Amino acid sequence: MVVYNLDVNIAGRGLFMLLYMMHAWRGGRRYLSGCRLLAGSTWWQQGAESVGCGFSSNSSSSARRELSSLVSSSSLRGQGYTNDAARRWMSSGGSLPEHEKLSMPALSPTMSQGNIVSWKKKEGDSVQPGDIYCEVETDKASIEWEAQEEGFLAKILKGDGSQNIEVGVPVAILVEEEGDVAAFAEYDASADVSTSAAPAAETKEEPAAAAAAPSSSSFPAHEVMSMPALSPTMSEGTLLKWKKSVGDEISAGDVLAEIETDKASMEWEAQEDGVLAQILVPEGTSGIEVGSPVFVQIDSADDLGAFKSFTIADVGAAAAPAPAAAAAAAPPPPPQESTPSPAATPKAPVQQPVTQSGDRVIASPYARKVAGEKGVDLHGLQGSGPGGRIVSADVLNAPVSGGQAAVSSVFTDEATTGIRRVIAQRLLESKQTIPHYYLSASCRIDTLSALRAKLNESLAASDGGKISMNDFIIKASAMALKKVPEANASWHEDFIRQYNSVNCSVAVQTPAGLMVPVVRNADKKGLAAISADVKSLAQRAREGKLMPDESADGTFTVSNLGMFGVTQFSAIVNPPQACILAVGSAEKKVVPSADGAGFEQGTFVTVTLSCDHRVIDGAVGAQWLQAFKAFIEDPASMLL
């Protein structure tokens, strides 16, 4: 708490009010305690005045009027404070009556935000010190918010059930007189924001207008097209191949380029007509963040010549008139060697030899990063930066050495793809943030194998393909999820979401990395339909033609390594899902016979269920595994 004890005479009113308003503006709970103002022959002595939160209960109406008169005085206006500005500060509402905004309090030492559970006072109710405004849910518990002063609740800004309200955010308005309540019936909290932000908006009007300009003065009107988000989870992409060249006409629906996303390789379609004026990112460039400039589009081919020298550096030219003006006003730089004007003879930057110290190459950190991703050897490259320094543009324009980042007699480094980086990021996130636990069971599949052989004979007669063991596993998993719906769920910070549909993701190995296409509504599909879906999805995944929606919205994942001879393994949960089933290979075992008279040979498969313990307790996971085993060992029960 900051406490001021000030004796301020008439000549010092400006300083006092400046301190007063500074604390109000800064927003913390500051108090002016025992403050005495000498106004003519009258001394004011008031109790604590809560700056920025209105007047305290010790402030009388006459004191309010005297202070209003004070801030309207000629001495204060002489210091730049107008009567209107003072009233806005006093009431924070222009023509509205004097009022106090009640802000979300910090009801615990660690509280940064809270939820309003329910209001105990209604608009228009009288408030007395000790009354309960509302019940607030903090990070610790639900606490009642008590009033500290009397008045009338004029307006509730955050109603029942309002979530994640930051401490200090206004939630209600309190007035002193009951007759002032009606003035706030149509109060709009956003009006204060717009009013207070007006000066800032005025000061930034000129740069904002410049930033909105389509181009700088040296280039005709154009539009810089950025890397799009071609899948819901895409954050960066790789530009595999351009389908258009500089100078080509573009029509809406034309394919501009082939982009590798975190899911698959996709075609980027144009959304409007124009002409491709300049390509800013060459083929093969990886790690292009969504929103990064990729090419320039213009309306008329007549302007093509002006963009021959356009680079990524020119993209921000339109948004920086203020620095340009400042540079113009600055003293001219020392004379340099005369070079042709870029406007007169546009040309690429002249590359200079790299300054080396032994085997050390002078290059920017980002250029080294790009070189590692593209497989470019920096040795022998000529840099266009200061002193011959290699910059990223030099690397992007250099030939790629077969996709290999580094080659030696000891090792070979293969450049990672965008898909591989996303897989790595998500698996790491899963193991670091999801509390895994694992449940295993051995399922006898003799009955299932006999049924599968019989069904495949029938399908062969009608050329209907074959049903695999994995198709039965997907169907049994889906049926078990319907029987134990608690497992068909996902974790969200404030709630657990339980899905009504069963969409089974199937892990498929592809040259680009692991993909998980989704068999939708697997519980409602027959084995033949599931088999057809899996074959079609897996083929498109391996060809890199999987669409984003074909690998989205999965609620459960099946990963089968049995065909590789793996008897048992534990898989990593695929977020935001809560379960993944790992399936091993079939093994023959000798077990006691059903009648107990001897022994018999049986075929068994070991499955391991990985669960997110935040969503699925051990007993629920065990119930799901029990249901799955029952369906696998008696596949006819899946028809019931």
Side-chain angles (χ1 to χ4, degrees):
M1 177 185 295
V2 178
V3 176
Y4 289 95
N5 288 282
L6 304 176
D7 287 334
V8 187
N9 58 22
I10 295 297
R13 290 173 182 167
L15 175 60
F16 164 70
M17 289 307 301
L18 179 60
L19 287 170
Y20 200 104
M21 285 193 284
M22 283 173 62
H23 280 283
W25 183 44
R26 289 175 62 182
R29 280 190 76 82
R30 313 290 196 199
Y31 296 92
L32 294 172
S33 178
C35 177
R36 292 192 259 179
L37 301 176
L38 178 60
S41 59
T42 303
W43 284 89
W44 297 348
Q45 184 167 10
Q46 304 296 331
E49 294 281 349
S50 177
V51 179
C53 301
F55 289 89
S56 72
S57 58
N58 295 329
S59 302
S60 65
S61 298
S62 60
R64 292 171 182 268
R65 288 193 293 272
E66 298 248 24
L67 190 53
S68 297
S69 175
L70 171 64
V71 299
S72 303
S73 64
S74 58
S75 64
L76 200 55
R77 285 199 301 272
Q79 299 175 55
Y81 300 106
T82 66
N83 203 24
D84 289 339
R87 287 198 184 97
R88 280 199 301 272
W89 171 71
M90 290 286 291
S91 67
S92 301
S95 61
L96 293 172
E98 293 176 3
H99 60 277
E100 176 185 353
K101 288 184 179 176
L102 300 175
S103 300
M104 174 63 73
L107 297 176
S108 76
T110 58
M111 176 179 171
S112 60
Q113 61 182 20
N115 306 327
I116 293 180
V117 179
S118 63
W119 281 94
K120 305 300 183 184
K121 292 286 184 180
K122 301 188 297 293
E123 292 180 358
D125 284 358
S126 173
V127 178
Q128 299 295 325
D131 286 355
I132 305 301
Y133 283 130
C134 62
E135 184 180 350
V136 176
E137 183 183 58
T138 73
D139 57 335
K140 303 294 185 185
S142 293
I143 301 175
E144 293 180 334
W145 178 10
E146 293 187 2
Q148 302 299 314
E149 53 190 282
E150 61 185 12
F152 292 87
L153 190 62
K155 188 73 176 179
I156 293 176
L157 304 178
K158 302 289 184 180
D160 291 351
S162 296
Q163 301 281 319
N164 303 325
I165 307 170
E166 298 287 337
V167 170
V169 171
V171 297
I173 293 177
L174 192 70
V175 294
E176 185 177 357
E177 304 295 339
E178 185 175 11
D180 293 338
V181 172
F184 293 88
E186 304 297 329
Y187 178 81
D188 182 6
S190 62
D192 285 345
V193 177
S194 60
T195 302
S196 60
E202 290 173 5
T203 58
K204 297 198 178 270
E205 183 177 356
E206 185 177 346
S215 62
S216 61
S217 58
S218 57
F219 294 100
H222 62 277
E223 184 176 1
V224 177
M225 308 303 290
S226 302
M227 172 65 73
L230 297 177
S231 78
T233 57
M234 176 179 171
S235 59
E236 61 179 34
T238 298
L239 205 157
L240 298 178
K241 186 176 182 180
W242 280 103
K243 302 293 187 180
K244 294 285 186 179
S245 304
V246 173
D248 286 355
E249 291 188 359
I250 299 171
S251 299
D254 286 355
V255 176
L256 299 170
E258 187 177 347
I259 305 293
E260 182 186 68
T261 73
D262 58 331
K263 301 291 186 184
S265 296
M266 302 182 62
E267 293 179 336
W268 178 10
E269 293 187 358
Q271 301 300 313
E272 54 188 63
D273 299 345
V275 177
L276 199 157
Q278 183 63 279
I279 291 175
L280 305 177
V281 177
E283 291 182 354
T285 304
S286 61
I288 309 169
E289 293 186 359
V290 170
S292 299
V294 176
F295 74 95
V296 180
Q297 182 171 320
I298 55 178
D299 293 330
S300 173
D302 297 338
D303 298 330
L304 268 176
F307 291 89
K308 288 183 178 179
S309 61
F310 192 99
T311 65
I312 290 181
D314 296 315
V315 171
Q336 296 182 350
E337 225 176 326
S338 175
T339 56
S341 168
T345 58
K347 58 191 292 186
V350 177
Q351 291 190 332
Q352 302 174 359
V354 179
T355 304
Q356 299 184 3
S357 176
D359 290 334
R360 180 169 175 262
V361 175
I362 309 300
S364 69
Y366 183 64
R368 293 180 184 274
K369 177 179 181 294
V370 174
E373 294 175 350
K374 286 178 60 65
V376 175
D377 186 2
L378 294 177
H379 290 82
L381 269 188
Q382 288 187 319
S384 60
R389 182 185 181 91
I390 296 175
V391 295
S392 60
D394 303 323
V395 180
L396 292 173
N397 293 326
V400 181
S401 59
Q404 295 181 352
V407 180
S408 74
S409 59
V410 180
F411 60 84
T412 299
D413 289 346
E414 295 289 342
T416 56
T417 63
I419 293 175
R420 173 54 61 186
R421 284 194 295 273
V422 170
I423 293 171
Q425 175 187 348
R426 291 187 183 160
L427 292 179
L428 178 64
E429 176 188 354
S430 176
K431 289 296 285 185
Q432 286 182 333
T433 62
I434 295 178
H436 286 62
Y437 73 89
Y438 310 95
L439 302 172
S440 296
S442 184
C443 306
R444 188 166 183 171
I445 60 170
D446 293 302
T447 304
L448 187 150
S449 297
L451 176 61
R452 174 176 171 250
K454 188 174 182 179
L455 291 175
N456 282 337
E457 285 179 8
S458 300
L459 290 172
S462 60
D463 195 22
K466 284 187 176 183
I467 296 173
S468 69
M469 178 67 69
N470 207 47
D471 299 330
F472 278 94
I473 289 170
I474 293 170
K475 179 65 175 179
S477 298
M479 297 300 293
L481 288 171
K482 293 300 288 185
K483 193 169 184 178
V484 186
E486 296 87 352
N488 194 37
S490 65
W491 172 261
H492 297 262
E493 287 300 325
D494 299 323
F495 57 90
I496 292 174
R497 175 170 293 162
Q498 192 172 117
Y499 298 98
N500 298 323
S501 300
V502 177
N503 299 330
C504 281
S505 301
V506 182
V508 177
Q509 184 62 39
T510 73
L514 190 66
M515 309 292 281
V516 280
V518 177
V519 178
R520 299 183 183 278
N521 299 310
D523 59 312
K524 300 176 182 177
K525 291 182 177 178
L527 290 167
I530 290 175
S531 179
D533 281 358
V534 171
K535 288 183 175 68
S536 175
L537 291 167
Q539 181 177 353
R540 289 202 298 280
R542 294 187 183 100
E543 294 173 351
K545 297 179 179 179
L546 204 63
M547 300 302 292
D549 62 317
E550 292 177 321
S551 58
D553 303 326
T555 62
F556 183 93
T557 297
V558 173
S559 179
N560 190 345
L561 294 180
M563 67 284 293
F564 297 105
V566 176
T567 57
Q568 183 179 356
F569 69 102
S570 300
I572 300 174
V573 172
N574 179 25
Q577 298 172 18
C579 291
I580 182 171
L581 183 69
V583 183
S585 62
E587 292 183 293
K588 293 188 179 298
K589 298 179 182 179
V590 176
V591 295
S593 60
D595 57 9
F599 295 89
E600 62 184 9
Q601 181 175 271
T603 306
F604 293 82
V605 167
T606 300
V607 296
T608 301
L609 182 68
S610 304
C611 299
D612 182 348
H613 214 324
R614 298 173 301 177
V615 180
I616 300 172
D617 293 331
V620 175
Q623 289 169 14
W624 183 92
L625 200 56
Q626 188 179 45
F628 172 82
K629 180 176 179 178
F631 285 126
I632 288 293
E633 294 187 342
D634 184 14
S637 63
M638 289 189 278
L639 302 176
L640 301 177

